[in-house]
């Protein structure tokens, strides 16, 4: 077959007949994925698709984050720190990607958003069960969130299960105890349904690790991985806050939260407080 100027011919080995073979779109479920965007504005606002895709993409990443953090927890429980570190690194990069993604939504101006915001009704990111699951598995447990999902029993049950299970940090501390570190019994026997609160008695444990990284390299490396993860998560939170502030100012959120003020308070939460507190003592 002749080709026109500048036309790129297909290589001979490229398959073109998929009548009986698995193709790209089928493998990825693109028919379902690309038909899952349903703007509600009337007439349809041209920027509502951006808003939907932004949040759907975030939820897809959250699905992978939960998959990886569940693996991290399992690896730590089995003392497989190398595999846990690989999964932690992946989650860190996901949150960096999510943080940068806010720059796309930030192209939505306040004037544009207000033109379709009313069509969102009471829907809000506050109701993201996957986000809540991420917070639960990292240590920010909160049973008061469960009633938000009463209308969806399967989702509520999944969150309730995570509430009852140890966090990534719990499993890391249990791992340290098995490696001979003096982790207090109160930590190992704590009620995992409760949100993590800083335990000053843990700081000497981390002080020992940081005082001699070469002797405790495995534990030391995981500590730094957890700090990397928290930094990436907090930067994502901060970019969320700034994007919301530039888009709606200080309006109340669509789900009834205080909006920017609610997001600001989230920045005060920390998953691994002892890993930050120990830094004050290093080299003192």
């Amino acid at each position: 077959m002749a080709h026109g100027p500048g036309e790129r011919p297909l290589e001979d080995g490229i398959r073109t007949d998929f009548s009986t073979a698995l193709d790209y779109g089928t493998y990825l479920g693109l028919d379902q994925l690309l038909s899952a965007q349903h703007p509600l504005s009337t007439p349809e606002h041209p920027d509502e698709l951006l808003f939907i895709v932004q949040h759907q993409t975030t939820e897809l990443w959250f699905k992978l984050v939960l998959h990886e953090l569940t693996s991290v927890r399992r690896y730590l429980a089995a003392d497989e720190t190398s595999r846990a570190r690989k999964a932690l690194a992946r989650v860190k990069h996901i949150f960096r990607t999510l943080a940068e993604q806010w720059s796309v939504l930030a192209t939505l101006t306040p004037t544009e958003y207000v033109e379709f915001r009313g069509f969102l009704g009471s829907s809000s990111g506050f109701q993201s069960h996957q986000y809540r699951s991420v917070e639960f598995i990292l240590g920010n447990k909160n049973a008061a969130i469960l009633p938000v999902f009463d209308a969806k029993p399967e989702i509520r049950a999944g969150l309730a299960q995570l509430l009852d299970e140890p966090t990534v940090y719990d499993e890391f501390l249990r791992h340290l105890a098995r490696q001979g570190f003096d982790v207090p019994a109160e930590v190992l026997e704590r009620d995992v349904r409760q949100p993590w609160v800083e335990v000053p008695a843990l700081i000497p444990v981390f002080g020992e690790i940081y005082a001699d990284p070469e002797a405790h390299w495995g534990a030391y490396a995981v500590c730094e991985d957890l700090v990397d993860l928290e930094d990436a998560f907090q930067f994502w939170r901060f970019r969320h806050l700034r994007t919301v502030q530039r888009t709606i100012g200080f309006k109340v959120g669509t789900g009834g939260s205080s909006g920017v003020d609610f997001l600001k308070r989230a920045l005060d939460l920390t998953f691994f407080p002892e890993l930050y507190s120990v830094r004050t003592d290093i080299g003192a």
Side-chain angles (χ1 to χ4, degrees), residues 14-47:
I14 291 180
R15 185 166 189 161
T16 58
D17 179 8
F18 293 96
S19 56
T20 60
L22 179 67
D23 69 348
Y24 176 81
T26 303
Y27 173 69
L28 294 178
L30 292 184
D31 286 348
Q32 297 91 337
L33 187 65
L34 298 180
S35 61
Q37 296 74 44
H38 306 290
L40 297 179
S41 51
T42 307
E44 183 178 324
H45 194 285
D47 294 317

Side-chain angles (χ1 to χ4, degrees), residues 48-281:
E48 190 178 358
L49 182 61
L50 160 65
F51 191 84
I52 293 171
V53 168
Q54 168 88 20
H55 290 85
Q56 287 183 339
T57 305
T58 298
E59 291 295 335
L60 284 172
W61 282 122
F62 279 166
K63 182 173 184 176
L64 182 56
V65 166
L66 284 168
H67 173 75
E68 297 296 339
L69 289 178
T70 301
S71 296
V72 168
R73 191 175 59 179
R74 184 174 68 253
Y75 293 145
L76 291 173
D79 298 325
E80 297 181 17
T81 54
S82 294
R83 300 185 74 178
R85 292 195 63 208
K86 174 63 182 294
L88 283 170
R90 183 170 292 165
V91 174
K92 171 182 67 178
H93 287 295
I94 292 170
F95 272 106
R96 288 178 176 173
T97 296
L98 284 170
E100 185 57 35
Q101 187 173 292
W102 287 118
S103 65
V104 182
L105 191 62
T107 64
L108 180 68
T109 68
T111 304
E112 292 163 342
Y113 181 46
V114 77
E115 290 171 351
F116 67 84
R117 186 177 188 241
F119 291 94
L120 273 60
S122 58
S123 64
S124 166
F126 180 86
Q127 300 143 18
S128 167
H129 71 276
Q130 291 199 120
Y131 171 74
R132 295 299 164 191
S133 296
V134 171
E135 287 222 324
F136 276 21
I137 200 169
L138 287 177
N140 186 21
K141 302 284 186 81
N142 186 354
I145 291 293
L146 296 182
V148 173
F149 305 98
D150 280 349
K152 298 182 176 181
E154 185 175 343
I155 288 175
R156 192 190 193 283
L159 276 169
Q161 180 177 334
L162 279 173
L163 186 70
D164 290 336
E165 294 174 346
T167 68
V168 166
Y169 200 37
D170 285 319
E171 290 296 359
F172 179 49
L173 294 170
R174 293 174 184 182
H175 162 74
L176 291 181
R178 290 192 295 272
Q179 303 308 305
F181 291 98
D182 190 19
V183 178
E186 64 184 280
V187 170
L188 301 175
E189 298 166 4
R190 83 179 191 95
D191 179 1
V192 297
R193 292 176 57 88
Q194 299 302 313
W196 183 266
V197 177
E198 183 167 0
V199 180
L202 270 176
I203 296 176
V205 175
F206 290 117
E208 178 184 352
I209 292 169
Y210 277 87
D212 193 350
E214 289 191 12
H216 310 298
W217 181 256
Y220 174 79
V222 176
C223 287
E224 287 298 284
D225 289 335
L226 293 175
V227 172
D228 283 346
L229 169 58
E230 174 138 347
D231 280 356
F233 190 98
Q234 289 285 45
F235 187 59
W236 174 79
R237 274 178 171 162
F238 178 74
R239 289 296 302 272
H240 184 191
L241 163 67
R242 297 298 297 180
T243 303
V244 169
Q245 187 169 355
R246 70 178 286 163
T247 306
I248 68 168
F250 294 91
K251 291 185 181 73
V252 171
T254 49
S257 75
S258 56
V260 167
D261 286 340
F262 179 80
L263 296 175
K264 280 182 178 177
R265 290 195 297 275
L267 289 173
D268 292 330
L269 300 173
T270 180
F271 299 119
F272 321 119
E274 297 83 3
L275 291 176
Y276 289 87
S277 295
V278 71
R279 283 157 160 73
T280 304
D281 297 337

